[in-house]
Amino acid sequence: MVRAPRLTESASAVFAVLAQAGTATRPQLASLARLSKPTVSSAVAELEGVHLAAHSGTSSGATGRSAAVYRLGPAAGAVLAVDLGPALTRVRGCALDGTLLAEATGPREDAADVVREALSALPPDAPLRTIVVAVGDVAAPQKMRPATAKAGPVFDAVAVALPPGVPVHLENNVNCAALAELHEGAARGRHTFGYLRIGVGIGLGIVVGGQVLAGANGAAGELARLPYPWDDGLEPRHEALEEYIGSRSLLRRAGAAWPESDGARPRTAEQLFALAQRGSDAARAVVDRHAVDVGRLAAAVTAVLDPGLLVLGGSTGSFPQLLPGVRAELERLSWPTEVVSSQVGDLGTVVGAARLAVARGVQTVTEAARKKD
């Protein structure tokens, strides 16, 4: 791992706002960092000296005067985001201003090779600042760990491919997807909402005040732990709600109810929803019942959080055909809450993980500020 140079506090502040802006002039940096122009000039010179900032052209202002434009320099480095999905591994490499530098996708069982492919596409002279790995498990709050550290079997799939000594963060995949919806998807402009993922499993990303709520143990939104079933004479079982609402059970129910006259039963959620769209009564009945079940779960979420907005995502939750039934059941059981489909789709987790990685990569550079101006 290449350590970031030690910076003055003003250079650290200017670096952070330059990463956020992508490109900026010195007057713009002074305004964004709330520093004087002489201080910014000194900070920019310091950053240029260690190749954390670079001149990228000029800009003409309203008065006709030209101003130098700056961007991040080659020493700023890159970050890596890894989405260990149930079927696919998606990887993105980004510069610290968020620019996409590399991406790769492949089967989960080839996760290490997918990571190596993305790493090989990064600029060879760009130091890797941090790695975020999105997993389907609870990701408890933790300090940064080197890539060589053990983090359990969920991490072992990619640990062998990660460069040693680079800080690694494990993040919950649903929380990452919620972050993507907040900044680039259906929840843009909304500071409080819930991202309800319905797929092989179920989960909830909770955003309050523009921040993802992780909980004391990193387990906020773990809907699989809700007691189910909850009725006289029925004993709740561990993660029974996820088992019932998850896509595997959905397809089993579809298969059990499928009439022989309708031909081959659907083998995937995509086939089931496509058949419902084409007018299959059997498929439509299964989909409509699934919408009611998701609507009841949405009502439970709304009763606790009152989020104002629920974004439905996941391999089955993102189908727009669910919306009418979910909305109707939620309206029947709770107070008015807007329900919309995800806009980031399958890429949501890696997009959100990349955003977190960029923020933490900038932090690794700015935390090098130890000297006083």
Side-chain angles (χ1 to χ4, degrees), residues 2 71-80 92-97 99-103 115-129 163:
V2 178
R71 57 173 171 77
L72 295 185
V79 297
L80 198 71
R92 284 192 168 195
C94 296
L96 296 197
D97 61 2
T99 301
L100 181 64
L101 300 175
E103 58 183 339
V115 170
R116 292 189 185 100
E117 180 184 345
L119 285 170
S120 68
L122 292 176
D125 58 344
L128 193 60
R129 296 298 182 191

Side-chain angles (χ1 to χ4, degrees), residues 8 11 17 78-79 85 119 140-141 170 177 188 198 242 257 281 302 324:
T8 60
V17 297
V79 297
L119 285 170
L170 297 186
R188 280 175 292 185
I198 309 293
E242 181 172 74
D281 290 338
T302 300

Side-chain angles (χ1 to χ4, degrees), residues 26-39:
R26 292 188 187 188
Q28 289 170 335
L29 291 171
S31 176
L32 291 169
R34 297 182 179 181
L35 296 171
S36 68
K37 291 181 180 179
T39 299

Side-chain angles (χ1 to χ4, degrees), residues 15 18 47-48 50-55 70-77 95 126-127:
F15 180 85
L18 183 57
L47 293 172
E48 285 188 290
V50 292
H51 307 293
L52 289 175
H55 184 265
Y70 296 90
R71 57 173 171 77
L72 295 185

Side-chain angles (χ1 to χ4, degrees), residues 171-197:
E171 296 288 347
N172 178 264
N173 57 359
V174 178
N175 288 344
C176 289
L179 193 64
E181 295 290 350
L182 171 66
H183 291 284
E184 303 178 41
R188 280 175 292 185
R190 305 289 287 266
H191 298 291
T192 298
F193 71 96
Y195 169 76
L196 183 56
R197 172 173 283 183

